[in-house]
Amino acid sequence: MQGFCSVAYWRKEQLLPQKYKMKNYILSLLLLTMAMSATAQISGNGSGISVNPVTPPVTGATAHLTDPSSYNISRGLDEISKGHYDKAVSYINKELEDDDENGQAYLLLSDIYYQQGQYGDALQNASNALLYLPHKQKSNIATAYYVRANVYMDLKDTLQAINELTAAIKSDPSQEKFYVKRGFFYNMMGKDDKSLADFKHLIKSKDTTIASMGYIGLGTRSINMKEYGDAATYYDKALELSSDPDVFSRAHIGKAISYAALHQIANAADEYITVLRQQPDRENVPSYLAQLADSDFVAVEARVRHQESVTINKSYWHNMLGMLYEQTYRYRQAASCYRQTFAVNHDSVTALRLAHCYSDAGMPDSSLAYLDSVKSKDDALFKCEKIYMLGYAGRYAEASDTLTSLLRIAPDQSASYELRGFFSMMQRNYVKAMKDADMAVSLADRSPSALMFRAHLHLIMGDTAAALPDFKRAQPVLTDKMDGPLALYFLGDKPAALSQMESLLRSPSIKPDDIYSAVCFYSLINDTSKAVDCLSRALQMGYRKFIQIDNDPELDKLRKMPSFNQIIKEYRNK
């Protein structure tokens, strides 16, 4: 069983309802961790990175409202520009008290609600704006459609977003940003001919920043079509046209993806480093650079070390080296780099990274010590991290108690019961574990994770027949998951199960945690020799969760084997 291999998913997505997901440094770090630890997905472009680096930023309506119709509208517009939405709404409501058919007031409200994520209100007020705006206010009418387009895009309804943008363009063809957005939306939908038309329109613009976005769009389209040389040429053209910081970063990120797809990893690394030299806080770029290390660690490490040697901001590049090492499971080396950063900054983000590295390196005492230096210990997300670390430290009772305190806040989270059941399982309290497993399934009866956890428990308790219904319900959605072969095996299709596991193990993106799951699979089906082979491979790749290995009941069959104990002894202190 993956066990704690699935805790990262629980920790970031399942434990807390949305209102508890606070915007603080821990949340930012969790998002960074997710980007670093997730298996790099190849989205048909061969780059190893599933990202559209050039989606244009959302622009609110307020900057484009023309000819304010009254004092209250002007004051509302001014307050919005300062970010004072409550004051802005007060002025706008005063206007609506005098004139409840003022289209500009509804337009401003639609944008405010959009910026605050209140999509229903944003759509309703944009519709009111379209109803009441005079026909001659073509720019404002177009902007109302644009707000609606942004809402639908956030709601993942790309087709309706395109329809709204087309209406905006029809109302006011002069607003070139509409073509920018629509071109990228067409690109995302694979409508290459339509995206090409919009991007060709943009490159004729007299506004060099708009024209450069047209070339960036052509570059992204070329990546989608696997025309990587053409993509780099288009990105270079964008850089020639505009010195805009956003164009600069998007173009270099696009070039990096193109180089990575051509397996020119050193060149790709240089492009990301170019961005980071100018914009060290550019979102996601550090994790993109770290992901390149999976393809050519030596080349990427050399580039980062060179940058460290020639810059005065050595702490930043120490941290970047740490990310490279962590990405490639060199946890002790990563911790060494992070310690250098922490010695300078004493910041909570680096402390949390150190806690994770030491946890993954099988050094729980050091992990918990750094975790205790993190601020905001009353924060619910800190408690999530505490649970995570306590579990890896084998302090299952403490982890369970902390999790129980969070369940009082969010009692309807299936994955939290699943995890608490896991803690009980590791303590061999199977009755208590099964109680939580049943609760997890009752709260999410279609959750493959909850169903497979309960099935695992039944197997450990020697009741294969009881596991079969859960295997049957979970198996259809497990075809590319490490638990899929186990369900197939016990449902009677042993050849398919073994073939699927071998295929998963051949994946170039497989991680040590995945291989540990294979150890459990082979142990449960009594192929102890294969189980030990997989354990050796996981340890060679950097798996060091020895407390997990020592306590996992699914490995009981292996512990009497001399080869198993010899491998553990060999790697325990490496």
Short mmCIF file of all heavy atoms in Angstrom, two decimals, residues 41 74 116 134 166 176 202 309 324 331 351 371 456 462 502 522:
data_model
loop_
_atom_site.label_atom_id
_atom_site.label_comp_id
_atom_site.label_asym_id
_atom_site.label_seq_id
_atom_site.Cartn_x
_atom_site.Cartn_y
_atom_site.Cartn_z
N GLN A 41 4.37 15.77 -16.16
CA GLN A 41 3.48 15.24 -17.17
C GLN A 41 3.89 15.77 -18.54
O GLN A 41 4.18 16.94 -18.70
CB GLN A 41 2.03 15.66 -16.88
CG GLN A 41 1.52 15.17 -15.56
CD GLN A 41 1.44 13.67 -15.52
OE1 GLN A 41 0.95 13.06 -16.45
NE2 GLN A 41 1.92 13.08 -14.46
N SER A 74 -17.35 57.72 -11.00
CA SER A 74 -15.94 58.14 -10.99
C SER A 74 -15.27 57.80 -9.66
O SER A 74 -14.14 57.29 -9.63
CB SER A 74 -15.82 59.64 -11.27
OG SER A 74 -16.27 59.95 -12.56
N GLN A 116 -13.33 39.12 -6.73
CA GLN A 116 -13.51 38.47 -5.43
C GLN A 116 -13.94 37.02 -5.54
O GLN A 116 -14.19 36.36 -4.53
CB GLN A 116 -14.54 39.26 -4.62
CG GLN A 116 -14.07 40.68 -4.25
CD GLN A 116 -15.12 41.46 -3.49
OE1 GLN A 116 -16.32 41.24 -3.63
NE2 GLN A 116 -14.66 42.39 -2.67
N PRO A 134 -25.96 51.96 -23.01
CA PRO A 134 -26.38 52.50 -24.30
C PRO A 134 -25.59 51.85 -25.44
O PRO A 134 -24.40 51.55 -25.29
CB PRO A 134 -26.08 54.00 -24.18
CG PRO A 134 -26.00 54.25 -22.71
CD PRO A 134 -25.47 53.00 -22.10
N THR A 166 -15.79 36.49 -28.55
CA THR A 166 -16.20 36.80 -29.92
C THR A 166 -17.23 37.92 -29.93
O THR A 166 -17.19 38.83 -30.78
CB THR A 166 -16.75 35.53 -30.59
OG1 THR A 166 -15.73 34.52 -30.60
CG2 THR A 166 -17.20 35.82 -32.02
N GLU A 176 -7.52 45.07 -28.69
CA GLU A 176 -6.71 43.95 -29.17
C GLU A 176 -6.50 42.86 -28.11
O GLU A 176 -6.21 41.71 -28.43
CB GLU A 176 -5.36 44.47 -29.67
CG GLU A 176 -5.50 45.33 -30.91
CD GLU A 176 -4.20 45.98 -31.31
OE1 GLU A 176 -3.52 46.55 -30.42
OE2 GLU A 176 -3.85 45.93 -32.51
N LEU A 202 -2.68 39.88 -34.38
CA LEU A 202 -1.98 40.60 -33.32
C LEU A 202 -0.59 41.07 -33.73
O LEU A 202 -0.15 42.16 -33.33
CB LEU A 202 -1.87 39.71 -32.08
CG LEU A 202 -3.18 39.42 -31.35
CD1 LEU A 202 -2.99 38.31 -30.32
CD2 LEU A 202 -3.72 40.68 -30.68
N SER A 309 28.10 30.90 -8.30
CA SER A 309 29.48 31.40 -8.15
C SER A 309 29.65 32.83 -8.64
O SER A 309 30.60 33.51 -8.25
CB SER A 309 30.44 30.49 -8.92
OG SER A 309 30.25 30.62 -10.33
N LEU A 324 16.97 21.26 -6.66
CA LEU A 324 17.45 20.24 -7.60
C LEU A 324 17.68 18.92 -6.89
O LEU A 324 17.29 17.84 -7.39
CB LEU A 324 18.75 20.68 -8.27
CG LEU A 324 18.77 21.93 -9.14
CD1 LEU A 324 20.13 22.08 -9.80
CD2 LEU A 324 17.69 21.87 -10.20
N TYR A 331 18.14 13.83 -0.62
CA TYR A 331 17.56 14.65 0.44
C TYR A 331 18.60 15.23 1.39
O TYR A 331 18.47 16.37 1.86
CB TYR A 331 16.54 13.83 1.23
CG TYR A 331 15.38 13.36 0.38
CD1 TYR A 331 15.14 12.01 0.17
CD2 TYR A 331 14.54 14.27 -0.24
CE1 TYR A 331 14.09 11.58 -0.63
CE2 TYR A 331 13.48 13.86 -1.03
CZ TYR A 331 13.27 12.51 -1.22
OH TYR A 331 12.22 12.08 -2.01
N ALA A 351 12.61 26.53 6.70
CA ALA A 351 12.50 25.57 7.80
C ALA A 351 11.59 24.41 7.43
O ALA A 351 11.88 23.25 7.74
CB ALA A 351 11.98 26.27 9.05
N LEU A 371 10.57 21.68 11.97
CA LEU A 371 9.15 22.02 11.92
C LEU A 371 8.76 22.89 13.10
O LEU A 371 7.96 23.82 12.96
CB LEU A 371 8.31 20.74 11.91
CG LEU A 371 6.80 20.95 11.74
CD1 LEU A 371 6.49 21.53 10.37
CD2 LEU A 371 6.05 19.64 11.93
N HIS A 456 -7.23 -3.02 1.31
CA HIS A 456 -5.92 -3.38 1.89
C HIS A 456 -6.10 -3.92 3.31
O HIS A 456 -5.47 -4.91 3.70
CB HIS A 456 -4.99 -2.18 1.90
CG HIS A 456 -4.25 -1.95 0.63
ND1 HIS A 456 -3.06 -2.55 0.34
CD2 HIS A 456 -4.54 -1.18 -0.46
CE1 HIS A 456 -2.63 -2.16 -0.84
NE2 HIS A 456 -3.52 -1.33 -1.35
N GLY A 462 -6.66 -10.88 6.58
CA GLY A 462 -6.86 -12.24 6.09
C GLY A 462 -8.24 -12.51 5.52
O GLY A 462 -8.62 -13.68 5.35
N GLU A 502 4.43 -4.38 -14.25
CA GLU A 502 5.72 -4.29 -14.95
C GLU A 502 5.76 -3.04 -15.82
O GLU A 502 6.79 -2.37 -15.92
CB GLU A 502 5.95 -5.54 -15.80
CG GLU A 502 6.25 -6.80 -14.99
CD GLU A 502 7.53 -6.66 -14.17
OE1 GLU A 502 8.49 -6.02 -14.67
OE2 GLU A 502 7.57 -7.18 -13.04
N TYR A 522 3.92 -6.91 -4.39
CA TYR A 522 4.53 -8.23 -4.54
C TYR A 522 4.53 -9.00 -3.22
O TYR A 522 4.38 -10.23 -3.20
CB TYR A 522 5.95 -8.10 -5.09
CG TYR A 522 5.99 -7.77 -6.56
CD1 TYR A 522 6.55 -6.58 -7.02
CD2 TYR A 522 5.46 -8.65 -7.49
CE1 TYR A 522 6.58 -6.27 -8.37
CE2 TYR A 522 5.48 -8.35 -8.86
CZ TYR A 522 6.04 -7.16 -9.29
OH TYR A 522 6.04 -6.86 -10.64
#
